[in-house]
Amino acid sequence: MGATLEKLLRVFSTFSLSPRWSTCKCTYGSSCWPDANTFSSLSAHLSEPLVYPCPPESACYPADAPSANCAAVLTGTFDGNWRANQSGSMQSPNFETYIHPDSTVIEACYLNASLGVPCQQGSVPVVGVDARTVEDIIEAVKFAGANNLKVAIKNTGHDFLGRSTARGSFLIWTHNMKDITYNDSFSPLGAPSGETYNTITLGAGVQWHEAYSAAAVQGVILVGGLSTDGSVVAAGGWVLGGGHSALSPSYGLGVDSVLQFAVVTSTGAYLNVSSYSYPDLFWALRGGGGGTFGVVVSVTYQTHPSIPVVASVFSANTTNTTTFAKLLSEYVRISPELVDQGWGGYGDIINGSLQFLHVAPNVSLSSANDAYASFFDFARALSDEGLNVQTTSTLSYSTYYEWYKTWFTAGQPVGVNVLLGSRLLPRDVVESNYTKIGEALAEDFGWVQWVLVAGGAVSKVEPDAMGVNPAWRTALAEVLTAVSWPEGSNVSVISGWKDVLKQKISILEDLAPGSGAYLNEDSLNEENWQRLFFGSHYSQLKVIKDRYDPARMFVVVEGVGSEDWDEDLTCIREHQST
């Protein structure tokens, strides 16, 4: 009887909101951290050995005697796919570092070993599971729950808020779950007989370059993300946060194409989640944020037939701010018309230059020329006012995949310290204030991106149909900016750049006060992130979060429920512990 009671109490203390459980999660270095024998018992139930992540730069230490792997680090550090293959690497190394609260101490492992700073673990998890199967994830979750461990879920480490790493944590690494299944008659779990779709199911580790390649073989396309070398994962934080795409004006956000998730919850339950099976969780997963409701095993996307696409390419620059403001105002002014025709893409604005790459499916070359003729003529007419027009062209491609391979095999590198900020601009604001917006973006703003990934099909989905921020349904564009700093910068320098980012975000906020932001591409320092990222859906998302994560295992910065935790997301705030 005594032993049975003791066992029940042990189980209760692990999964209930008892004072011991609710105070703090167990992190490496604490007396509660499992010993080697305990981890060994976990390893015996896994398909792969445990991983012991470390900053990849550690191979270059000590500086006078680096390991043989240092050459690979130096070669691969700016390669998104190389970084994705390292269990201890984030795409932006600033998230590998750890700045002690209220101090000037930075724990980091810098690529430049000659800086004379010791290589330390920083915010990189210390041990984890290299998940290859559903059973691996279940075992990892059960182990984390039984030992009250702080958990990080990571795939490629592309998260721009560092949500896929945590200091002293236990890592669930899903990068090697690469299954891809095509099905031309998929029926979501619980759907009525006869309801079928043409789909691709992607394992949690499939990256977009792999997904696009597989889709092309089947003669279909996917609404997906675009990055250099396609290193972003297709079944992780991208889609869980909403997932925008150059195809969004034609086919909607990534979440608009999802038919089913497979997910493991903090209780160890493996659920197939659709609009008919666990519909509340399905609602939340479509935009409620990554690392929050469970560990995603796979995502099933509806596909679209592969069709020809046309691209529009433009570049121009000037040193005349007035001229530049005129160009940008016109660019903003024509944006609603473009998305109505299915055009989406990216415009980079930096140091008096504008470069954009747009794409539209199933549009003829002549229609594309008509769509952009007035803007190209407008730009050429500004030559007398100091505008140097370099490129005005429209190009046809037999498939979206051909366009993708042409433009996204090289570009901006990863492996640099960066923080982002964003705002979603509603259509009515763009239509009525395009001159103000153009003038604001023409100022000495540094890099800013005008992202045409809303409007069109995105705006046709009912705002409350899923958990994604309702601001997406009235938005026409996302405006994105960033700051960066050199490796080895001290806390004061980093703080200064964070202040610069706040100022930039303030300018964006003034363009459309209260509009919202994209939770995958924004700042760590938003004061009202619940409203900005989730809008009116936040309270319901939190209810669903508590329902499916009763152990509060999955906590990420500026994620649903994170306001209940301290700055390090390790201990429940005092007023929440009762």
Side-chain angles (χ1 to χ4, degrees), residues 451-492:
V451 194
L452 282 183
V453 288
V458 176
S459 64
K460 292 179 172 61
V461 178
E462 201 278 319
D464 294 329
M466 58 194 73
V468 73
N469 191 346
W472 274 109
R473 305 308 179 184
T474 56
L476 185 103
E478 178 196 18
V479 186
L480 185 65
T481 189
V483 295
S484 184
W485 58 89
E487 182 182 52
S489 296
N490 60 34
V491 172
S492 177

Side-chain angles (χ1 to χ4, degrees), residues 283-342:
W283 184 89
L285 289 171
R286 289 178 295 164
T292 299
F293 298 93
V295 184
V296 170
V297 176
S298 67
V299 178
T300 300
Y301 289 98
Q302 182 175 6
T303 67
H304 305 275
S306 182
I307 49 180
V309 304
V310 175
S312 179
V313 186
F314 175 86
S315 63
N317 62 74
T318 181
T319 58
N320 187 314
T321 301
T322 301
T323 300
F324 196 45
K326 290 181 181 179
L327 178 71
L328 295 182
S329 296
E330 179 65 8
Y331 179 49
V332 173
R333 187 191 69 80
I334 68 170
S335 291
E337 181 180 347
L338 293 176
V339 298
D340 287 346
Q341 297 174 33

Side-chain angles (χ1 to χ4, degrees), residues 53-62 66-67 70 73 109-111 119-121:
C54 59
E57 299 83 0
S58 62
C60 298
Y61 288 77
S67 77
C70 183
V73 174
C109 190
Y110 297 123
L111 182 65
C119 176
Q120 296 178 287
Q121 191 76 8

Side-chain angles (χ1 to χ4, degrees), residues 97 150 250 407 518 545 574:
T97 68
K150 184 172 183 177
S250 294
W407 291 98
Y518 182 32
K545 157 78 170 172
E574 184 176 347

Side-chain angles (χ1 to χ4, degrees), residues 205 455 564:
D564 296 343

Side-chain angles (χ1 to χ4, degrees), residues 14-15 133-146 172 262-272 278 281 293-295 297 547-554:
T14 301
F15 292 104
T133 67
V134 173
E135 291 74 21
D136 286 341
I137 294 177
I138 292 172
E139 290 294 336
V141 166
K142 287 166 59 179
F143 183 83
I172 301 177
V263 62
V264 175
T265 70
S266 63
T267 63
Y270 173 57
L271 307 178
N272 282 297
Y278 307 100
L281 182 56
F293 298 93
V295 184
V297 176
R547 183 178 300 149
Y548 287 94
D549 184 19
R552 299 190 190 184
M553 183 178 293
F554 307 119

Side-chain angles (χ1 to χ4, degrees), residues 202-220:
L202 306 176
V206 177
Q207 295 163 269
W208 277 118
H209 71 91
E210 297 163 328
Y212 290 144
S213 177
V217 170
Q218 300 297 337
V220 297

Side-chain angles (χ1 to χ4, degrees), residues 314-317 353-355 388-392:
F314 175 86
S315 63
N317 62 74
S353 70
L354 168 64
Q355 301 178 45
N388 175 29
V389 180
Q390 297 162 310
T391 306
T392 58

